[in-house]
C-alpha cells in the first residue's frame, strides 16, 4: 500500500515563504508524476504544480514565478517552495502521485495525501 505524508503547512504573513514536503512510502519502485493541488474554502480543488520523474514541471499561472516544485527520486519525496505568499494562496494543499509502481508490481494510478493547511494572513 502506498501512503503520502505531507508536512510544512502553517500560518505565514503575506510576502512570506513556506516549504511543503510530501514523502511517499510503501516499497516503491517508481512514481511517474508527483504534484500539489490546493482547495480553498468554497472552491474546487485545483492543480498548483506537477513534476515528472524526468524532471519536467508545470506550474499554474497563478503561482508561476513564486512557487517552485522539485523532487528527490531517491527519497520519493516532492517539495513545494512557496515564496511571496498572498492571502489568496490560503488553502488546504494536497500531495498527489500518478502511476506508482511497487516492488510487488502493483500499480496505483493515483494516490492522495491527507492535506496540509496553509494560511496566509497578517
Amino acid at each position: 500500500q502506498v501512503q503520502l505524508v505531507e508536512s510544512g503547512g502553517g500560518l505565514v504573513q503575506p510576502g512570506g515563504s513556506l516549504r511543503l514536503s510530501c514523502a511517499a512510502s510503501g516499497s516503491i519502485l517508481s512514481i511517474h508524476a508527483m504534484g500539489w493541488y490546493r482547495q480553498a474554502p468554497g472552491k474546487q480543488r485545483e492543480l498548483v504544480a506537477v513534476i515528472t520523474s524526468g524532471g519536467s514541471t508545470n506550474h499554474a499561472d497563478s503561482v508561476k514565478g513564486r512557487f517552485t516544485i522539485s523532487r528527490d527520486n531517491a527519497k520519493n519525496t516532492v517539495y513545494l517552495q512557496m515564496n511571496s505568499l498572498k492571502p489568496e494562496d490560503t488553502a488546504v494543499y494536497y500531495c498527489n502521485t500518478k502511476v506508482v509502481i511497487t516492488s510487488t508490481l502493483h500499480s496505483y494510478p493515483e494516490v492522495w495525501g491527507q492535506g496540509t493547511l496553509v494560511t496566509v494572513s497578517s
Side-chain angles (χ1 to χ4, degrees):
Q1 186 174 0
V2 175
Q3 291 185 322
L4 304 180
V5 178
E6 300 138 333
S7 60
L11 173 65
V12 64
Q13 292 187 340
S17 298
L18 280 176
R19 189 192 195 207
L20 304 183
S21 299
C22 171
S25 63
S27 300
I28 294 168
L29 282 182
S30 66
I31 304 174
H32 171 60
M34 303 184 79
W36 291 94
Y37 289 71
R38 68 185 180 186
Q39 187 167 19
K43 294 188 177 181
Q44 290 188 333
R45 191 172 298 189
E46 63 177 1
L47 174 68
V48 177
V50 63
I51 183 168
T52 68
S53 57
S56 297
T57 63
N58 185 33
H59 294 77
D61 288 342
S62 59
V63 306
K64 280 181 181 177
R66 300 188 299 121
F67 293 9
T68 302
I69 191 170
S70 61
R71 68 187 276 181
D72 184 333
N73 290 331
K75 295 181 179 179
N76 294 318
T77 299
V78 63
Y79 307 96
L80 186 68
Q81 179 65 44
M82 306 186 293
N83 299 328
S84 303
L85 282 159
K86 304 175 181 179
E88 50 263 43
D89 294 317
T90 295
V92 177
Y93 284 70
Y94 296 91
C95 180
N96 172 273
T97 59
K98 298 277 195 302
V99 189
V100 180
I101 309 296
T102 68
S103 61
T104 55
L105 300 182
H106 281 87
S107 175
Y108 294 82
E110 186 168 55
V111 181
W112 289 93
Q114 80 283 358
T116 184
L117 178 62
V118 172
T119 303
V120 185
S121 175
S122 55

